Amino acid sequence: MNSELISLLADGSFHSGVELGRRLGITRAAVWKNISQLEDIGLQTERVKGVGYRLTEPLSLLSDSTIFDKSDTSVKHLIGAFIIVDSLESTNDYIKTSMESRQGYILCLAEHQSAGRGRRGKSWISPYGKNLYLSVGFNFERGFEALNGLSLVVGIAVARSIADLGLAAKLKWPNDVWIEKKKVAGILVEVDGEQGGPLRLVVGLGVNVNMKPCDAEIDQPWTSLATELGRIVDRSALAASLVGNLLTLMEQFKQRGFVGMKEEWQEFDGVSGSRVTLANQDKEEQGICRGVDHRGYLLLESDGKIQAFSGGELSLRIA
Ligand code: BTN
């Protein structure tokens, strides 16, 4: 992948093959070959004879200096490492292989994922330079039971950053983020460790930022921040905001658990009061959502009784 070529084209303006070849030190034929490969990573290009090439949409590329400058100073000391990668298979997998003996939070952002993963074995569409693909790795001492609460806390962090852009995000238990009933972000928490011992966690976050409906076919209703706002969003500024909110809330969660965060989660709750079906591989439960308890378990009312359910591989469908 030619990231220099992508940087030159990121402004969305036309650039002639001669100019691109000169700046990259390659032939015009090589420019054409490189441009034709951009489609494979989700970038659409246009060629006009006698004028040159352009991307059909400008890109807001990740800038490490912007992310660093805009990051909340109160969380910077918590970061053990922060890596920005051009293209990789999955930021979650990257973190898993680079966490050994590291202290603090290890963060990885990528411009593109070739094998982005979602929950329940689904893939996560990850075109180059359009969305945010972020993973955070850290050690966790509160045990498996606390993990439900943790993924809800990540949802609050995302909803706060989206609210700062002037949009109303809603959370669908356990960890989907919606705007107007369309998915805008997803959270994948992966765990390594033994019962009773410290756990190594990787929190993966995918946010649809500047992806447009024509950029991807996804088998459920979805939207992006740019679609909702009608303008391109600065991905680096958003990444800085997310890192600040995520690390602040995770630190609070490590000390006090989910208890103090339940009220804020319920303010963002998009399903409370709705009739739903809760399912895993073996069985289904129907009822009305009644928010969450102090651990982050879903409260479901059926036949006049309220039962609490933990996350795991449960999926929630709204009737
Ligand atoms: C979901 O299915 O809703 C969860 C999607 C999680 C996607 C993110 S993108 C960054 C990180 N790397 C991955 O491979 N997956 C997560």
Side-chain angles (χ1 to χ4, degrees):
M1 169 175 329
N2 195 329
S3 51
E4 255 183 283
L5 171 65
I6 298 171
S7 302
L8 292 173
L9 293 172
D11 60 7
S13 307
F14 277 105
H15 296 266
S16 72
V18 175
E19 177 209 333
L20 293 171
R22 184 174 42 77
R23 293 181 70 173
L24 296 168
I26 57 176
T27 63
R28 281 170 62 189
V31 168
W32 175 82
K33 196 166 163 229
N34 276 277
I35 295 227
S36 58
Q37 286 166 351
L38 297 183
E39 203 93 347
D40 300 343
I41 54 168
L43 293 175
Q44 270 127 42
T45 56
E46 190 185 349
R47 181 187 175 196
V48 173
K49 250 192 151 165
V51 181
Y53 305 93
R54 71 173 184 119
L55 292 175
T56 53
E57 295 280 343
L59 291 179
S60 158
L61 293 174
L62 295 173
S63 144
D64 47 6
S65 57
T66 309
I67 297 173
F68 189 77
D69 290 349
K70 290 191 188 262
S71 280
D72 189 337
T73 43
S74 69
V75 300
K76 281 183 185 163
H77 70 283
L78 301 169
I79 298 175
F82 196 159
I83 304 121
I84 301 180
V85 182
D86 201 44
S87 177
L88 40 58
E89 289 192 349
S90 153
T91 53
N92 268 32
D93 294 347
Y94 185 93
I95 291 283
K96 281 185 205 164
T97 55
S98 51
M99 254 182 90
E100 293 296 338
S101 74
R102 300 270 200 159
Q103 293 299 313
Y105 293 92
I106 315 297
L107 291 102
C108 175
L109 265 171
E111 292 285 14
H112 171 252
Q113 296 186 121
S114 57
R117 291 185 288 106
R119 290 179 77 213
R120 290 189 297 280
K122 287 191 174 182
S123 59
W124 187 258
I125 304 286
S126 310
Y128 192 104
K130 306 242 166 137
N131 301 323
L132 282 180
Y133 321 113
L134 169 68
S135 296
V136 186
F138 57 101
N139 296 320
F140 187 69
E141 311 280 344
R142 295 183 73 91
F144 281 97
E145 289 70 35
L147 288 180
N148 281 284
L150 177 74
S151 63
L152 272 61
V153 166
V154 177
I156 298 176
V158 180
R160 279 189 187 178
S161 291
I162 293 179
D164 285 345
L165 291 170
L167 293 169
K170 289 284 172 201
L171 299 175
K172 174 180 167 244
W173 186 91
N175 44 22
D176 276 354
V177 187
W178 286 354
I179 295 177
E180 302 283 351
K181 300 241 176 338
K182 287 173 278 186
K183 185 159 170 167
V184 71
I187 297 156
L188 177 69
V189 178
E190 297 187 292
V191 194
D192 189 15
E194 315 232 317
Q195 194 80 38
L199 303 176
R200 283 220 297 252
L201 296 190
V202 182
V203 172
L205 174 63
V207 185
N208 298 336
V209 184
N210 291 326
M211 191 160 74
K212 296 275 173 64
C214 59
D215 288 327
E217 273 178 36
I218 298 177
D219 64 355
Q220 61 175 312
W222 66 275
T223 188
S224 68
L225 301 174
T227 306
E228 298 300 319
L229 288 166
R231 65 168 171 87
I232 294 276
V233 173
D234 179 337
R235 290 164 65 236
S236 299
L238 179 64
S241 158
L242 283 168
V243 169
N245 284 328
L246 275 171
L247 300 197
T248 305
L249 287 169
M250 282 178 187
E251 278 298 288
Q252 279 176 29
F253 181 78
K254 276 185 175 178
Q255 282 150 27
R256 299 198 294 272
F258 185 65
V259 185
M261 301 185 189
K262 188 180 119 172
E263 283 68 31
E264 185 172 2
W265 194 89
Q266 298 203 142
E267 276 172 34
F268 291 120
D269 186 354
V271 284
S272 184
S274 304
R275 179 164 290 283
V276 299
T277 303
L278 199 58
N280 67 13
Q281 276 158 340
D282 309 320
K283 64 175 193 178
E284 290 194 348
E285 289 282 341
Q286 286 177 345
I288 298 175
C289 278
R290 296 292 181 214
V292 292
D293 70 10
H294 64 283
R295 301 163 298 178
Y297 285 28
L298 181 81
L299 298 176
L300 191 72
E301 182 181 334
S302 62
D303 300 330
K305 281 198 306 246
I306 294 190
Q307 276 180 283
F309 292 87
S310 69
E313 283 300 288
L314 283 174
S315 77
L316 184 97
R317 288 196 311 272
I318 297 176

